[in-house]
Amino acid sequence: MEYTGERFIPDNDGIEIEAEHIHRYKAISSSLKNMKVLDAGCGTGYGSLLMSQYALNVTGIDISDETIEWCNSHYEAQKNLNFIQASLDSLPFNDSEFDCIVIFEVIEHVNKEIQNSFLKEAKRVLKPNGILIISTPNKSVYTDKSGYHNPFHISEFYIDDFKSFLKQEFKNVKLYNQSLYLVSSISDEAMKERRVRVIQNSSIDTEGKYMIALCSNGENPASYIDLSSVYKYDSSFSINMSSLYASSKEGNYSQDHKQSTVLVTDEDNRFSVTFDISHLPDPSHFRFDPVENCFCICNIDEVLTDGEVKSIVPLNALKYQKRGFLFMNIDPQFEIRGEFNQATFITITGYFKVMTPVEISEIVDDIYQQMIQTIKKNNSIPPQG
């Protein structure tokens, strides 16, 4: 998809802009368990994908046919996720269909007439206790104080305007501020402290660059959803697709026996992926590729199946590195052998982390130093005979 600046595309914007976008979805995703979610103005679908790891199912809509086609082709492996072309002012859904509607950095891209129509439509398709989670730039900070005018923004909001707008259709409105700063983090050893004491320079605005609102006409969503959080990041967000190859009758791996799914990690870099193997012709072994086209550290902790696992072997790892095997190539692989004649599923759990440029540099430097030491050691051995 061509990058124009209107839609956020992971790996195309700066890492700071990426962090702002990813943080919003990360902050809400774990609260969406068992919910039917609408992602309005889904763009490239990265947020829909993140939410689908927790929600019962997610539907993404966008006005652009090209965008919807791109999302459907890139995320087809995620079975509880779908995308359709639709406009904000005419949502093609039944009354009371969704538990939650998410619309991040979209409402400012349309005029006031469409904004008001969307709000009515959101109320209509939400269940009585449904939640609208909406974000938009704070015009005072984003535009007025910065002097920057986004050419794709048609109608921005000040804080009071935003609250008044939302309260036209929703009686409960809880507002959050979001801004990106250089942050030094201090936390307890176990990383379990949830409270955060904010220490900031007096020159920093108390208003956020972005406003995020929780809206409802039923139970106050602020009573069970809290967006207050600090998002730690050190590299760009990427969508990792893992694959499982089943052996053929000849014992080879081929595209004919390949399945793919999205590999998403939690805060501790843990992952769990499940594959349906009930339709496969009696495989004796599998090859699991946790990711494609990047360096990583990965380890399989456990394989759950109704078959029998006999061995798990990394095929092309360089060495074991702290939490997992170090793969300094673009095609990390594990081979899983056992008895799977009547098996119907296989679930793989473990540790996975894409290596940052800093980590890659440190490892390459370490390998280089080891080579130098080996050369020096060999040159210091006196000739024999």
Side-chain angles (χ1 to χ4, degrees):
M1 182 182 296
E2 181 183 359
Y3 177 70
T4 64
E6 181 176 15
R7 291 181 178 87
F8 169 71
I9 302 176
D11 298 326
N12 280 271
D13 279 298
I15 191 171
E16 293 85 3
I17 295 176
E18 187 165 304
E20 290 174 340
H21 283 72
I22 300 301
H23 187 182
R24 285 188 280 266
Y25 283 105
K26 289 278 191 179
I28 67 171
S29 289
S30 62
S31 299
L32 304 178
K33 293 178 181 178
N34 301 316
M35 288 190 182
K36 188 173 182 180
V37 178
L38 173 64
D39 189 11
C42 63
T44 53
Y46 66 95
S48 305
L49 175 65
L50 286 175
M51 294 188 294
S52 72
Q53 309 307 309
Y54 297 89
L56 179 66
N57 59 69
V58 177
T59 299
I61 64 168
D62 199 277
I63 194 66
S64 166
D65 286 323
E66 177 195 11
T67 298
I68 293 302
E69 183 179 347
W70 189 91
C71 289
N72 278 321
S73 65
H74 279 72
Y75 307 129
E76 60 182 350
Q78 194 66 20
K79 302 305 180 185
N80 66 336
L81 177 60
N82 68 96
F83 299 91
I84 61 175
Q85 190 276 334
S87 175
L88 293 180
D89 57 351
S90 182
L91 301 179
F93 306 107
N94 296 326
D95 295 354
S96 304
E97 187 166 340
F98 293 96
D99 299 290
C100 180
I101 296 176
V102 175
I103 176 169
F104 285 160
E105 305 307 296
V106 177
I107 200 69
E108 66 277 3
H109 289 255
V110 297
N111 61 37
K112 291 187 181 299
E113 182 180 354
I114 296 177
Q115 289 174 348
N116 290 324
S117 296
F118 166 75
L119 209 60
K120 289 181 171 62
E121 282 288 87
K123 181 181 179 181
R124 178 183 67 81
V125 303
L126 275 174
K127 295 178 181 179
N129 288 323
I131 309 163
L132 170 67
I133 309 178
I134 179 171
S135 80
T136 192
N138 179 347
K139 187 176 181 180
S140 173
V141 177
Y142 185 91
T143 301
D144 294 351
K145 292 183 180 179
S146 70
Y148 169 69
H149 294 270
N150 191 315
F152 300 107
H153 290 186
I154 295 174
S155 183
E156 296 179 343
F157 293 88
Y158 293 107
I159 292 178
D160 290 341
D161 296 335
F162 192 45
K163 289 179 180 178
S164 298
F165 165 68
L166 297 173
K167 287 182 177 180
Q168 292 179 109
E169 301 294 339
F170 294 93
K171 65 180 183 181
N172 298 315
V173 175
K174 167 70 173 178
L175 207 63
Y176 290 82
N177 290 323
Q178 181 191 13
S179 290
L180 184 72
Y181 307 108
L182 175 63
V183 174
S184 172
S185 173
I186 300 176
S187 58
D188 71 306
E189 183 181 17
M191 297 289 289
K192 292 182 178 179
E193 289 282 356
R194 296 191 63 84
R195 59 181 177 83
V196 176
R197 179 165 60 101
V198 178
I199 303 172
Q200 67 181 44
N201 294 337
S202 59
S203 60
I204 293 178
D205 277 319
T206 56
E207 292 184 355
K209 184 178 181 181
Y210 304 96
M211 303 175 287
I212 309 174
L214 297 179
C215 310
S216 174
N217 284 313
E219 182 182 359
N220 189 346
S223 64
Y224 59 95
I225 298 179
D226 184 7
L227 304 187
S228 300
S229 55
V230 175
Y231 176 58
K232 291 185 177 181
Y233 66 98
D234 60 2
S235 61
S236 61
F237 171 79
S238 58
I239 296 167
N240 302 312
M241 299 297 296
S242 63
S243 300
L244 186 75
Y245 294 83
S247 60
S248 64
K249 291 182 179 179
E250 296 76 24
N252 300 319
Y253 298 113
S254 72
Q255 295 290 328
D256 295 335
H257 300 93
K258 174 186 177 182
Q259 298 182 63
S260 295
T261 189
V262 177
L263 186 147
V264 175
T265 56
D266 62 16
E267 294 177 357
D268 297 321
N269 294 314
R270 316 301 304 181
F271 75 89
S272 177
V273 292
T274 298
F275 299 93
D276 177 9
I277 60 174
S278 60
H279 61 287
L280 297 176
D282 300 332
S284 62
H285 52 282
F286 295 94
R287 195 188 86 198
F288 174 63
D289 295 9
V291 71
E292 297 178 354
N293 300 321
C294 68
F295 299 155
C296 69
I297 297 173
C298 185
N299 190 45
I300 295 178
D301 295 335
E302 187 176 23
V303 175
L304 302 175
T305 178
D306 48 358
E308 179 185 358
V309 176
K310 294 184 178 179
S311 65
I312 305 170
V313 179
L315 295 183
N316 51 4
L318 182 62
K319 64 177 181 177
Y320 194 83
Q321 178 83 9
K322 296 180 181 178
R323 302 285 296 277
F325 292 96
L326 172 63
F327 292 93
M328 290 289 286
N329 55 68
I330 61 173
D331 193 19
Q333 302 171 3
F334 289 85
E335 189 168 71
I336 303 170
R337 289 186 172 270
E339 298 290 339
F340 304 100
N341 292 342
Q342 304 296 323
T344 61
F345 76 95
I346 186 168
T347 297
I348 303 169
T349 64
Y351 177 90
F352 173 82
K353 184 180 187 300
V354 173
M355 296 172 63
T356 66
V358 172
E359 290 172 325
I360 295 172
S361 176
E362 290 174 348
I363 289 171
V364 170
D365 184 63
D366 180 59
I367 293 172
Y368 175 75
Q369 293 300 326
Q370 291 181 34
M371 291 173 56
I372 295 297
Q373 293 301 319
T374 300
I375 293 173
K376 288 182 177 179
K377 181 178 179 181
N378 291 338
N379 289 340
S380 67
I381 299 176
Q384 302 295 316

